[in-house]
Amino acid sequence: MNFFDTVIVQPIFNLLMVIYGLIPGGDFGVSLVIFTLIIRILLWPLIKKQLHQAKKMRSIQPEMKKLREKVKDNKRLAGLATLELYKKNGISPFRTILILLIQLPIFLGIFRV
């Protein structure tokens, strides 16, 4: 067994089997539904932050469009202006990537199970 299997896959598998053992009648479909709900509840803080960032990004889209039209020929200036707009509105584009990187091993572990 490798590190990923020991740290991610095995606990996910064990949780699924515990849920399966607790379900009367041993219905695996119901176990999967309950397991999915548990995972969604556990990941909710991360999903909430991701959705909040996406909402902020959507709210500044008109400003972004105007900004791109102003400096469409100069990519360096467009990048700097975009970063300044993000900073002014409290948006961190790297935060959503970090949140995704945290969720990715969990989803890969669920897929392996």
Side-chain angles (χ1 to χ4, degrees), residues 63-81:
E63 292 178 60
M64 288 285 292
K65 192 173 184 179
K66 290 177 188 173
L67 189 72
R68 284 189 198 124
E69 288 174 4
K70 277 185 187 177
V71 290
K72 61 183 170 185
D73 294 333
N74 190 345
K75 291 189 184 240
R76 184 175 183 274
L77 187 60
L80 290 173

Side-chain angles (χ1 to χ4, degrees), residues 4 7-8 12 39 42-47 49-50 94-110:
F4 183 76
V7 174
I8 304 290
I12 291 172
I39 294 298
L42 292 176
L43 291 178
W44 177 247
L46 295 175
I47 294 169
K49 287 180 183 178
Q50 198 172 16
F94 302 110
R95 185 178 299 154
T96 55
I97 294 171
L98 179 65
I99 292 170
L100 232 109
L101 289 176
I102 292 170
Q103 292 176 4
L104 187 64
I106 296 168
F107 291 135
L108 289 174
I110 291 171

Side-chain angles (χ1 to χ4, degrees), residues 14-81:
N14 290 341
L15 176 63
L16 184 58
M17 288 299 110
V18 165
I19 295 168
Y20 177 69
L22 294 175
I23 299 298
D27 190 356
F28 198 69
V30 174
S31 301
L32 283 174
V33 170
I34 293 171
F35 174 77
T36 303
L37 291 173
I38 290 171
I39 294 298
R40 291 294 284 186
I41 289 168
L42 292 176
L43 291 178
W44 177 247
L46 295 175
I47 294 169
K48 184 179 175 185
K49 287 180 183 178
Q50 198 172 16
L51 292 173
H52 183 67
Q53 285 290 318
K55 185 177 178 183
K56 279 185 176 181
M57 291 288 280
R58 276 194 307 272
S59 70
I60 65 164
Q61 283 305 312
E63 292 178 60
M64 288 285 292
K65 192 173 184 179
K66 290 177 188 173
L67 189 72
R68 284 189 198 124
E69 288 174 4
K70 277 185 187 177
V71 290
K72 61 183 170 185
D73 294 333
N74 190 345
K75 291 189 184 240
R76 184 175 183 274
L77 187 60
L80 290 173

Side-chain angles (χ1 to χ4, degrees), residues 2 11 17 29 38 87 112:
N2 60 23
M17 288 299 110
I38 290 171
K87 186 184 281 187
R112 292 219 23 204

